[in-house]
Amino acid sequence: MSPVALRPATSHDVDAVVRCVDAAYRPYLDRMPVAPAPLLDDYDALIERGVVTVAISQDEIVGLIVMWAEPDHVFIDNIAVSPQAQGRGLGRRLIDLAVEQARAVGHTELRLYTNEAMTENLTYYPRLGFVETHRAFGNGYDRVYFSRML
């Protein structure tokens, strides 16, 4: 894969962001009784809030992270990497960006959750230093919550 640049998403990126999210989450549709939550998000609004960072390779969005600072941690709402860019360290690079953001605002913790049906994530996030904190059913989803202390 060509070099990847990270930058804040702009309103011009909405369609490409939606395509990237769709490509990343489409494989989970068969495993879940409802569509994965990121497929239902309002990316116009998220981009307008300034909480979406995109990963660009050869002028194409190949990944993104949606995150924001809470009072005591940075919450990662979504990480999506297009299938052709998976397995090349881009997810780790996006997590590293979240670490940088957390440190920049004086936080020492990242939090996220994933769906129980996304079994790959249940082993992936611990490899990046996340610890499972609990599981709960919320908004129609069986979620697994993780935290990473910095």
Side-chain angles (χ1 to χ4, degrees):
M1 187 167 78
S2 300
V4 175
L6 303 179
R7 66 163 172 76
T10 70
S11 60
H12 301 290
D13 296 323
V14 172
D15 291 341
V17 164
V18 169
R19 281 192 304 274
C20 181
V21 170
D22 182 69
Y25 285 92
R26 183 159 296 285
Y28 299 113
L29 288 171
D30 291 339
R31 296 188 206 175
M32 299 171 61
V34 295
L39 291 175
L40 308 175
D41 283 342
D42 180 349
Y43 290 97
D44 282 307
L46 290 167
I47 290 170
E48 187 174 312
R49 280 180 51 200
V51 298
V52 180
T53 299
V54 293
I56 310 287
S57 178
Q58 295 182 337
D59 296 323
E60 180 182 347
I61 292 177
V62 295
L64 61 104
I65 186 168
V66 179
M67 64 180 162
W68 55 81
E70 293 286 351
D72 62 347
H73 66 279
V74 166
F75 178 68
I76 300 170
D77 184 56
N78 180 9
I79 295 176
V81 176
S82 62
Q84 74 268 21
Q86 291 176 4
R88 301 170 191 253
L90 183 52
R92 179 180 299 273
R93 186 161 171 208
L94 292 167
I95 292 290
D96 289 345
L97 180 66
V99 168
E100 289 173 23
Q101 180 172 327
R103 289 186 172 141
V105 297
H107 292 334
T108 59
E109 183 182 14
L110 300 176
R111 293 184 193 169
L112 59 81
Y113 57 75
T114 190
N115 192 288
E116 204 172 70
M118 297 178 184
T119 54
E120 299 88 344
N121 292 342
L122 302 181
T123 56
Y124 179 71
Y125 290 126
R127 286 196 314 263
L128 297 180
F130 287 86
V131 175
E132 182 179 327
T133 60
H134 65 287
R135 293 180 182 219
F137 183 79
N139 297 328
Y141 299 97
D142 291 308
R143 291 182 168 155
V144 182
Y145 292 77
F146 289 90
S147 171
R148 176 177 166 186
M149 300 306 294
L150 309 181

